[in-house]
Amino acid sequence: MIYCIYHIPGKKVGVTNNVEDRVERQQGYEPHEYEIIEMSDDISYISDREVFWQKAFGYKVDRQLYKNLFTNNKTELNTMRINVTEATTTFPCPLNKLKGQLMDQMGIQWETSHGNFTITHPTVNWIMANAKVSMYNNDRCYIYNKAMSKFYDKDPHRNITMGTTFDAKIDQPTSFNSSATNCNQCDENIFECIREWADERGLYDKGDPKTQYIKLMEETGEIGRAILKNDTDEIIDGIGDAVVVLTNLAELCGVPIEECIQEAYNVISKRTGKMVNGTFVKDN
């Protein structure tokens, strides 16, 4: 296996064994927006060099060496050292690093008392939507096996590796189209998935708009800190969390978020103006 150290100028240095999938598909960068610094089939060497280049460019250094996220024995359960108990599956990495590690381990399977699971694009999205940080160790996160088995029950073919549908792009939209935001896990709109998730947890029965607004302020603060640190993973996480909170806030206020977005787009689509100091200033 060949490991690559990639550099996104001004953003980060990372390691992957699948540059196209990890950097282009997952993170959204074009080939001209990143560079490959080094390549090697020696995971120990490449792990040490990743740290070297992170320090050289002044980026945040990963808390764990890349090689420590994997085992050397490929015949073991999997290369991530997934820990399976009766109730949970635990992944040995921080939540903000989990998606990248899962994408690098596509096709891995493991057995639980609730069935056999496989890492595919749809299951990665489900895991990221449901994973929780361990209360004992921030460098570990977990999912509930029974909950994931219910996800499989909706479509028994989800254990077959398949391509993601999240990379679709819409050119020159004339209006907001909610069908363009379909959830990878099912045929539903992503906002429907969020509402179903929140409803199952009693958020709409026991929550109120004021607490959701406070939560939104917390999430936007996280986004601001991530921007100041140029931390792309945290920016993605913060914006995603903010959208979830906004979806729930809209529902608690009695209006679907799709309607809010449509109304906003109806207004901004007719605006004219110009960019001033990095901000769009509308005409009077």
Side-chain angles (χ1 to χ4, degrees):
M1 181 178 296
I2 300 298
Y3 303 97
C4 300
I5 297 179
Y6 63 90
H7 176 216
I8 303 171
K11 301 292 184 180
K12 65 182 292 187
V13 166
V15 174
T16 181
N17 57 22
N18 189 333
V19 174
E20 182 178 356
D21 190 60
R22 179 73 176 274
V23 183
E24 296 180 23
R25 196 212 64 77
Q26 181 186 339
Q27 300 185 42
Y29 290 97
E30 299 295 332
H32 67 274
E33 294 181 302
Y34 67 91
E35 59 183 345
I36 303 300
I37 301 176
E38 291 190 48
M39 300 173 63
S40 175
D41 61 357
D42 186 335
I43 192 171
S44 295
Y45 170 83
I46 215 73
S47 297
D48 292 336
R49 295 296 290 175
E50 179 190 24
V51 172
F52 169 83
W53 286 112
Q54 287 172 339
K55 291 179 178 179
F57 284 106
Y59 300 135
K60 181 177 69 174
V61 176
D62 290 342
R63 285 177 288 182
Q64 293 190 67
L65 288 175
Y66 183 77
K67 66 181 180 180
N68 290 340
L69 299 174
F70 303 87
T71 67
N72 292 322
N73 185 354
K74 303 301 182 180
T75 63
E76 293 185 14
L77 173 63
N78 55 63
T79 57
M80 286 186 69
R81 291 185 180 175
I82 293 173
N83 182 49
V84 181
T85 67
E86 170 69 24
T88 64
T89 293
T90 300
F91 304 98
C93 62
L95 185 59
N96 66 343
K97 300 291 185 182
L98 178 58
K99 186 170 185 178
Q101 297 303 321
L102 293 174
M103 296 299 289
D104 279 346
Q105 302 300 308
M106 200 63 63
I108 280 178
Q109 296 182 330
W110 69 98
E111 182 179 353
T112 78
S113 59
H114 296 279
N116 296 332
F117 301 151
T118 305
I119 295 180
T120 66
H121 288 293
T123 56
V124 166
N125 288 314
W126 186 92
I127 290 170
M128 293 308 301
N130 293 275
K132 303 177 184 299
V133 177
S134 169
M135 68 176 66
Y136 307 107
N137 187 341
N138 289 335
D139 288 336
R140 300 175 69 82
C141 50
Y142 65 94
I143 57 170
Y144 288 105
N145 297 329
K146 185 175 182 180
M148 190 166 182
S149 70
K150 290 182 177 179
F151 164 64
Y152 270 82
D153 290 342
K154 290 182 178 180
D155 184 350
H157 298 295
R158 291 193 185 278
N159 63 334
I160 301 174
T161 302
M162 60 188 76
T164 180
T165 59
F166 251 160
D167 55 2
K169 297 181 180 179
I170 302 174
D171 295 327
Q172 299 178 337
T174 56
S175 65
F176 174 75
N177 182 357
S178 63
S179 65
T181 53
N182 282 347
C183 178
N184 280 20
Q185 302 170 15
C186 54
D187 294 330
E188 289 183 313
N189 174 295
I190 186 65
F191 299 118
E192 287 293 345
C193 293
I194 294 172
R195 285 188 286 260
E196 180 179 340
W197 171 87
D199 189 47
E200 289 175 351
R201 287 156 179 78
L203 192 148
Y204 299 144
D205 290 334
K206 300 178 182 178
D208 67 65
K210 295 186 291 297
T211 57
Q212 285 301 296
Y213 176 75
I214 293 172
K215 180 65 175 174
L216 180 62
M217 295 302 98
E218 294 176 357
E219 298 298 349
T220 54
E222 292 293 332
I223 296 171
R225 285 188 284 274
I227 291 173
L228 291 176
K229 295 188 296 182
N230 288 323
D231 191 326
T232 302
D233 291 335
E234 290 294 339
I235 290 172
I236 293 171
D237 183 67
I239 291 175
D241 286 345
V243 171
V244 171
V245 175
L246 280 170
T247 302
N248 294 330
L249 175 59
E251 190 71 12
L252 287 166
C253 290
V255 289
I257 192 170
E258 295 94 327
E259 182 178 332
C260 300
I261 297 173
Q262 184 69 65
E263 286 298 316
Y265 183 80
N266 290 343
V267 174
I268 66 173
S269 63
K270 301 178 180 64
R271 283 180 182 166
T272 59
K274 59 183 178 180
M275 293 296 297
V276 177
N277 296 326
T279 301
F280 180 80
V281 179
K282 64 180 180 180
D283 293 331
N284 295 327

